[in-house]
Amino acid sequence: MLISRRIQNIAFLSFSGLASLFLGQIAVHAFFHNIITSNIIGPFISNGSTSRYTRSTLLFAKEKTSPSTNYRYIDENFGIDGLISDASELQFLQDNYKSILYLCPDTPTDTGCFEWGFETVVKAFGAENSRHVPLDLSTSAFQFTDNSYPIHAIAAFENFQQALDSLTTPTVIVCKKNIRSSAVLATYLGVKAQVSEEQVFADSTAAGLRYVDNDRLRLWSKTVLSTYMKRGANSGRLIFRQFFEKESSTYTYLLADLPSKEAILIDPVLETVERDAQFVRELGLNLKYCLNTHIHADHITGSGRLKGIFPDCKSIISEASGAQADVKVHDGDLIRFGTRHLVVLATPGHTDGCVSFLLDDSSMVFTGDALLMRGCGRTDFQQGSARLLYQSIQSKLFTLPGSCLVYPAHNYIGVASSTIREEMEHNPRLKVGISCECFEEIMAALNLAPPAKLDVAIPANMVCGV
């Protein structure tokens, strides 16, 4: 089927050539000091009746001095540990590491340090050298039966990645039994080195890292690694253009799969149809779909006119919009073009039929009028609801990876794009700390004038602009 109702399990890609190169030159040294090759730090190398020690002789001596049986030295930059049960264990970590990433949620059954958990860690390492990013296996990032699991897996990884990137090495990663910490570190190092999930898993197994026996952590790591490898493999294979219509300040987006030349347009505008069509022709593309994020009130869609120019093109809009289209989509549907696809995210609130479109690798999201750069769509007509919009943004968009690029339907501030993290931190209506009740008050006080084309745009857009 062209459009699938459910996100399928991620197909993990195998890059055997890269894996072979990595195995011979980089992998073991980058990940685990106790996998033995000819040019790395190994704990102990045996040749028949004689033994040859390497730099790891000193490192192993250091490891043995740790009071914790869960402690593992990985390399000169990282170590992992389990529960810090007393002051002597904490002192050992202070003596050997400059910073710490703490993964325990600090619940009664899941803490990683004696006395006050993370508070004790901060007292020892200082706030600037301590990061607390809880890893709870019951959250959506580790529930791989959920349709949206891959999205949340990447979002969780970026939180760990951001924390580790901000810390001065050497860094120790701590959880209750060092299982979660091993998964985070192996995945982090694999992404940095652009290594396949197969190679990371093989190295992790050889090193005896315990996360490989945990189904949720193993699949989470594979999901993250395969997604980043896919991004690298697809680099240069996606055509992307952002167009602008001045009168309504509307963005139109052209995406195309380079190998197949199949293309889609998101939110085309009637007045700029010829421009869009010219780009499709000049790039030698086959326009497969015209997508609308919702029933626009400030311009007439160009979908109908484009269908006349490109007879094989089909129009798409959400079923909830009530509008006419060749294909009507729902939350979780996939819109395929060539080897790529968009995931449909229902984000009602500006209108009751609003959807956003997420690119398959979670690198960019097209948010329509739901989330704008440092703003959001109005909620005072077209079945708008400030409460529903707030819930849509918080649950569907602000749970995406922080690095995910935000491409809205309008530009009112002279900025081409944003990111999820930027909007969470700086959007004056929606940033972290603003409650739903506060958001409702903000939206109620806007007192905006009706869109200039309201009376003609909505009726036309209900019938695909024709």
Side-chain angles (χ1 to χ4, degrees):
M1 294 180 64
L2 294 177
I3 297 180
S4 169
R5 287 286 175 85
R6 296 180 66 85
I7 300 176
Q8 302 299 319
N9 290 333
I10 287 182
F12 299 113
L13 304 177
S14 174
F15 297 85
S16 57
L18 177 62
S20 298
L21 174 65
F22 194 87
L23 179 62
Q25 300 178 11
I26 303 172
V28 180
H29 182 272
F31 287 109
F32 319 114
H33 78 292
N34 59 338
I35 304 177
I36 302 170
T37 65
S38 61
N39 63 344
I40 63 166
I41 304 171
F44 183 82
I45 299 177
S46 177
N47 294 315
S49 59
T50 62
S51 297
R52 177 169 59 85
Y53 288 86
T54 67
R55 268 184 60 204
S56 63
T57 306
L58 297 177
L59 302 179
F60 241 59
K62 180 193 293 185
E63 182 174 349
K64 290 179 180 179
T65 64
S66 171
S68 171
T69 57
N70 284 318
Y71 171 74
R72 288 287 301 276
Y73 176 94
I74 301 300
D75 64 14
E76 62 270 21
N77 291 314
F78 295 104
I80 58 176
D81 203 355
L83 174 67
I84 306 170
S85 60
D86 57 35
S88 64
E89 291 185 25
L90 183 59
Q91 186 62 53
F92 168 79
L93 297 180
Q94 282 181 266
D95 291 342
N96 290 279
Y97 294 93
K98 294 181 179 179
S99 61
I100 185 168
L101 172 60
Y102 185 88
L103 302 180
C104 290
D106 274 349
T107 64
T109 59
D110 190 1
T111 186
C113 188
F114 68 101
E115 289 185 340
W116 304 290
F118 182 64
E119 290 184 23
T120 303
V121 165
V122 172
K123 281 188 175 182
F125 281 86
E128 70 279 7
N129 298 315
S130 307
R131 300 290 184 272
H132 188 195
V133 185
L135 194 166
D136 184 347
L137 291 179
S138 68
T139 60
S140 57
F142 303 94
Q143 300 294 320
F144 49 85
T145 56
D146 190 288
N147 282 347
S148 58
Y149 162 73
I151 300 169
H152 299 303
I154 298 300
F157 170 74
E158 286 197 354
N159 291 332
F160 303 129
Q161 183 184 47
Q162 186 179 28
L164 287 169
D165 285 347
S166 69
L167 290 170
T168 301
T169 56
T171 300
V172 64
I173 307 175
V174 171
C175 64
K176 190 173 182 179
K177 297 180 179 179
N178 98 4
I179 299 174
R180 288 168 289 181
S181 54
S182 66
V184 168
L185 183 57
T187 307
Y188 173 77
L189 293 174
V191 167
K192 283 182 73 74
Q194 297 183 351
V195 187
S196 70
E197 72 274 10
E198 293 91 350
Q199 187 62 56
V200 174
F201 181 73
D203 290 343
S204 297
T205 302
L209 296 190
R210 298 167 64 190
Y211 83 91
V212 299
D213 296 320
N214 184 293
D215 289 341
R216 292 182 182 179
L217 288 171
R218 186 174 64 251
L219 183 53
W220 171 80
S221 178
K222 286 187 174 184
T223 299
V224 172
L225 289 162
S226 65
T227 299
Y228 276 87
M229 287 295 288
K230 182 179 179 181
R231 288 182 183 179
N234 285 331
S235 177
R237 294 165 61 92
L238 179 73
I239 295 173
F240 173 70
R241 299 290 186 273
Q242 182 183 50
F243 304 133
F244 187 64
E245 192 278 316
K246 293 186 291 185
E247 184 179 356
S248 61
S249 298
T250 298
Y251 277 134
T252 297
Y253 300 96
L254 173 66
L255 286 81
D257 174 58
L258 189 57
S260 67
K261 298 288 187 169
E262 288 190 348
I264 61 173
L265 277 166
I266 300 174
D267 287 335
V269 179
L270 182 62
E271 286 79 4
T272 52
V273 160
E274 291 303 325
R275 175 204 63 193
D276 299 347
Q278 181 180 348
F279 269 86
V280 171
R281 293 191 193 98
E282 289 177 350
L283 294 174
L285 304 177
N286 169 28
L287 186 61
K288 188 175 183 180
Y289 296 119
C290 282
L291 288 63
N292 282 285
T293 54
H294 64 292
I295 297 297
H296 298 275
D298 53 5
H299 68 269
I300 297 175
T301 178
S303 296
R305 183 76 60 83
L306 285 161
K307 285 177 57 181
I309 299 172
F310 302 99
D312 293 333
C313 177
K314 296 183 183 301
S315 59
I316 291 181
I317 201 165
S318 73
E319 180 87 53
S321 70
Q324 295 180 16
D326 297 312
V327 181
K328 297 180 181 180
V329 294
H330 307 78
D331 186 58
D333 285 352
L334 305 186
I335 301 173
R336 301 184 184 279
F337 56 106
T339 62
R340 308 304 299 269
H341 67 263
L342 297 174
V343 183
V344 178
L345 305 177
T347 49
H350 170 60
T351 74
D352 54 0
C354 285
V355 293
S356 298
F357 300 113
L358 178 69
L359 191 61
D360 48 24
D361 61 3
S362 299
S363 62
M364 57 180 71
V365 62
F366 303 90
T367 57
D369 283 19
L371 179 63
L372 305 177
M373 289 167 289
R374 307 303 191 264
C376 63
R378 62 194 297 170
T379 58
D380 56 340
F381 65 92
Q382 286 185 277
Q383 299 81 46
S385 165
R387 178 170 289 272
L388 187 56
L389 180 58
Y390 182 88
Q391 293 169 349
S392 293
I393 292 172
Q394 296 294 331
S395 65
K396 290 295 183 69
L397 299 179
F398 281 1
T399 55
L400 298 177
S403 64
C404 182
L405 291 167
V406 174
Y407 289 105
H410 296 286
N411 175 4
Y412 299 124
I413 62 172
V415 178
S417 66
S418 181
T419 67
I420 291 295
R421 184 175 294 113
E422 277 186 42
E423 296 307 315
M424 291 179 68
E425 294 176 353
H426 305 297
N427 193 306
R429 300 178 188 175
L430 292 154
K431 62 185 176 182
V432 174
I434 293 180
S435 67
C436 184
E437 291 72 21
C438 180
F439 177 73
E440 288 180 294
E441 293 176 3
I442 292 171
M443 299 306 292
L446 291 179
N447 195 27
L448 300 172
K453 292 186 176 181
L454 175 66
D455 294 337
V456 296
I458 291 180
N461 290 333
M462 292 296 293
V463 292
C464 201
V466 295

